[in-house]
């Protein structure tokens, strides 16, 4: 019964001690999450619980801000703010638009 | 009201409830020493579900590394300190 | 609001980044994964529905950019030079840093002091708790699985990977940020800094020294 996030004491390799700066996209997600939080829609504890609820596979596969994006998506659906259908449609539209403008580097699929 | 005082030995509950818990698994069932009381805070286990509930006291507890890890080979004074909600702590009789 | 309109907002974001003195060297504007596309989609939808405003998202990013480890360096340098401030910092971190204009919004700042017999280092094994209001966003290694997993189990080996060797007669204290407290390590003041001004001292206080994976820099001679 150890959650995917509860890693204290587990065996791991060396620490990559050189910090890398946030990408433009990561900053956008950070700002979006902060803005949604400032509206009182979700609290920090709910955010953490939602990240843990992604499960081991998603938690260990996704990067930090990908996990935040995934949980924001789930939370907005669960709170009735957005629907899965409109999110799917917008994802398809954004993908087309980024492909057109050359900003889409690789076609990643959802796990 | 504080349930524990500085210097007191405490045991962390060795329980595994489902849901959002802020007591790391590596500290459950371990013995430590209360260093200080930080005050009462929202209980993450309740607030994380969007619910409200009574606030809980939080204590800073020191765990000797040699008490956490059987194979710890550093100095005996090395320690981990964590902030534990009061309902996860039990007095050692 | 149309989708095109939102795309304009993204370009404002780019412009802002270029103008900002603390912007990272080269933002990665390429989109790689499904989740990155999802992030763009969520932002557009939430703005269109009026859940958040584009300006609010920008303000939040600007706020993040405006908080840097230099804020913490000022706090440490003042603690080194002003014994009364040092006492206030250890008694009540939030109000002490507020004296310097730094606001802790939702968490309690707890300063911990390195001494000749104790070395402190901070982690959040469960997620990424960090004194963001004072030091800004945590460095990538702080959020990494390797750091979170190992610093509580083999702190001396991890510190050595950061180039920090702690003698055996100095106890290592690892602070796991499991609740609403956020820890600021006050590193030891380096030797040979008696004549330095507060701003010169602050320049010696690195981010890593305030997390405790390093010590403060030695002054240049």
């Amino acid at each position: 019964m150890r959650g995917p996030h509860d890693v204290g004491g587990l065996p791991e390799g060396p620490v990559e001690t050189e910090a890398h700066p946030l990408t433009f996209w990561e900053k956008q997600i950070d700002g979006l999450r902060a803005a949604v939080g400032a509206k009182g829609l979700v609290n920090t504890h709910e955010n953490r619980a939602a990240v843990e609820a992604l499960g081991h596979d998603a938690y260990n596969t996704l990067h930090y801000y990908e996990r935040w994006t995934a949980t924001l998506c789930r939370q907005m659906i669960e709170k009735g703010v957005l629907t899965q259908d409109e999110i799917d449609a917008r994802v398809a539209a954004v993908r087309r638009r980024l492909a057109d403008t050359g900003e889409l580097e690789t076609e990643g699929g959802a796990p | 009201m504080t349930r524990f005082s500085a210097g007191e030995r405490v045991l962390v509950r060795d329980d595994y409830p489902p849901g959002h818990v802020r007591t790391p698994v590596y500290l459950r069932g371990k013995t430590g020493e209360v260093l200080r009381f930080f005050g009462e805070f929202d209980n993450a286990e309740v607030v994380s579900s969007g619910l409200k509930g009574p606030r809980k006291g939080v204590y800073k507890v020191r765990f000797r590394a040699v008490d956490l890890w059987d194979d710890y080979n550093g100095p005996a004074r090395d320690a981990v300190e964590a902030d534990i909600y009061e309902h996860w702590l039990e007095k050692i009789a | 609001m149309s989708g095109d309109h939102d795309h304009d907002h993204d370009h404002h974001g780019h412009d802002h980044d270029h103008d900002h003195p603390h912007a990272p060297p080269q933002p990665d504007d390429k989109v790689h994964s499904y989740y990155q596309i999802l992030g763009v989609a969520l932002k557009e939808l939430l703005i269109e529905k009026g859940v958040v405003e584009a300006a609010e998202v920008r303000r939040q990013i600007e706020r993040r950019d405006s908080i840097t480890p230099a804020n913490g360096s000022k706090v440490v340098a003042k603690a080194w030079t002003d014994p009364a401030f040092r006492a206030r910092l250890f008694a009540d971190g939030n109000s002490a840093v507020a004296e310097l204009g730094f606001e802790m919004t939702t968490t309690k700042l707890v300063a911990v002091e390195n001494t000749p017999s104790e070395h402190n280092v901070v982690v959040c094994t469960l997620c990424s708790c960090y004194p963001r209001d004072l030091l800004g966003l945590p460095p990538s290694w702080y959020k990494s699985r390797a750091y979170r997993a190992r610093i509580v189990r083999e702190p001396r080996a991890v510190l050595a990977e950061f180039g920090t060797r702690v003698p055996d007669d100095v106890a290592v204290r690892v602070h796991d940020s499991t609740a609403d407290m956020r820890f600021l390590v006050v590193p030891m003041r380096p030797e040979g800094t008696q004549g330095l001004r507060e701003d010169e001292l602050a320049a010696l206080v690195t981010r890593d020294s305030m997390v405790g994976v390093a010590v403060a820099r030695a002054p240049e001679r």
Side-chain angles (χ1 to χ4, degrees):
Chain A
M1 289 287 280
R2 184 194 277 269
H5 63 295
D6 194 347
V7 300
L10 296 180
E12 273 294 326
V15 177
E16 192 189 307
T17 58
E18 202 66 40
H20 44 81
L22 291 196
T23 65
F24 175 77
W25 176 82
E26 288 172 322
K27 282 188 163 199
Q28 292 288 313
I29 295 302
D30 196 88
L32 181 61
R33 285 294 297 254
V36 170
K39 296 288 178 194
L41 271 173
V42 288
N43 68 50
T44 304
H45 300 285
E46 287 178 288
N47 289 340
R48 291 183 190 138
V51 168
E52 294 161 18
L54 290 172
H56 285 267
D57 192 30
Y59 186 94
N60 293 326
T61 308
L62 302 181
H63 294 182
Y64 185 80
Y65 282 104
E66 290 178 331
R67 296 198 290 257
W68 276 30
T69 308
T71 57
L72 179 62
C73 178
R74 289 307 311 162
Q75 288 171 318
M76 292 301 97
I77 293 169
E78 283 165 12
K79 288 181 186 278
V81 176
L82 302 175
T83 68
Q84 186 69 59
D85 282 350
E86 65 190 339
I87 293 169
D88 288 347
R90 183 56 60 99
V91 164
V94 171
R95 182 178 273 142
R96 280 195 301 275
R97 195 179 73 214
L98 292 175
D100 287 349
T101 58
E103 291 173 270
L104 188 69
E105 191 154 80
T106 54
E107 189 79 24
Chain B
M1 278 304 292
T2 58
R3 285 169 56 181
F4 307 99
S5 28
E8 205 164 356
R9 304 284 303 164
V10 286
L11 175 69
V12 180
R13 279 168 49 204
D14 195 13
D15 291 337
Y16 296 80
H20 178 68
V21 171
R22 293 296 292 183
T23 306
V25 164
Y26 78 93
L27 295 177
R28 297 189 204 174
K30 304 296 183 184
T31 298
E33 176 192 351
V34 171
L35 295 185
R36 61 181 283 199
F37 177 63
F38 276 128
E40 295 193 332
F41 294 85
D42 282 339
N43 181 1
E45 293 166 24
V46 174
V47 182
S48 60
S49 301
L51 305 171
K52 293 200 191 307
R55 286 156 75 87
K56 297 280 188 181
V58 174
Y59 293 83
K60 188 162 186 69
V61 182
R62 174 180 291 168
F63 303 87
R64 296 194 312 162
V66 289
D67 291 338
L68 295 178
W69 320 110
D70 290 340
D71 58 354
Y72 193 78
N73 57 13
R77 288 177 63 231
D78 286 0
V80 172
E81 298 179 5
D83 306 328
I84 310 288
Y85 290 90
E86 59 187 348
H87 59 287
W88 276 90
L89 298 175
E90 292 167 0
K91 281 184 199 201
I92 295 179
Chain C
M1 262 191 213
S2 72
D4 285 348
H5 192 87
D6 283 328
H7 200 59
D8 285 345
H9 282 298
D10 281 343
H11 285 293
H12 288 166
H14 285 260
D15 290 341
H16 169 75
D17 259 357
H18 289 209
D19 289 340
H20 201 284
H22 301 297
Q26 187 56 59
D28 180 1
D29 292 347
K30 293 280 187 183
V31 171
H32 304 276
S33 77
Y34 166 77
Y35 286 96
Q36 290 178 315
I37 297 169
L38 178 62
V40 176
L42 290 174
K43 183 184 170 195
E44 292 181 3
L45 288 170
L46 290 173
I47 289 171
E48 281 174 27
K49 288 186 178 269
V51 175
V52 295
E53 300 84 45
E56 171 68 5
V57 177
R58 266 205 314 282
R59 256 198 313 277
Q60 292 288 351
I61 296 171
E62 285 167 12
R63 176 165 186 276
R64 298 294 205 208
D65 280 342
S66 73
I67 303 175
T68 73
N71 297 3
S73 306
K74 283 183 193 157
V75 171
V76 170
K78 189 162 179 66
W80 281 347
T81 53
D82 179 344
F85 177 79
R86 178 185 165 285
R88 292 197 296 279
L89 177 65
F90 286 107
D92 180 350
N94 289 34
S95 54
V97 301
E99 294 175 29
L100 304 186
F102 306 132
E103 187 199 4
M104 299 295 294
T105 53
T106 57
T107 51
K108 183 177 165 72
L109 184 72
V110 176
V112 292
E113 184 174 39
N114 285 351
T115 68
S117 63
E118 281 188 11
H119 180 91
N120 296 279
V121 58
V122 182
V123 66
C124 173
T125 61
L126 297 174
C127 49
S128 54
C129 298
Y130 185 80
R132 289 159 200 253
D133 287 336
L134 184 64
L135 302 183
L137 294 173
S140 46
W141 53 259
Y142 186 87
K143 302 180 285 185
S144 73
R145 185 184 180 87
Y147 180 76
R148 289 160 49 208
R150 291 178 55 224
I151 192 74
V152 292
R153 173 140 202 173
E154 38 176 351
R156 288 170 186 270
V158 172
L159 290 172
E161 286 167 27
F162 282 90
T164 303
R165 282 170 214 289
V166 180
D168 276 356
D169 59 347
V170 177
V172 172
R173 308 285 193 218
V174 182
H175 300 266
D176 193 352
S177 317
T178 47
D180 291 347
M181 272 48 75
R182 298 292 176 269
F183 297 98
L184 172 73
V185 175
V186 176
M188 281 200 288
R189 180 171 172 165
E191 300 285 329
T193 56
Q194 290 77 9
L196 295 189
R197 296 188 314 266
E198 215 169 287
D199 61 314
E200 293 169 323
L201 289 170
L204 307 176
V205 185
T206 61
R207 176 197 63 207
D208 288 4
S209 74
M210 292 182 281
V211 183
V213 295
V215 296
R217 261 202 290 263
E220 286 176 25
R221 301 199 165 261

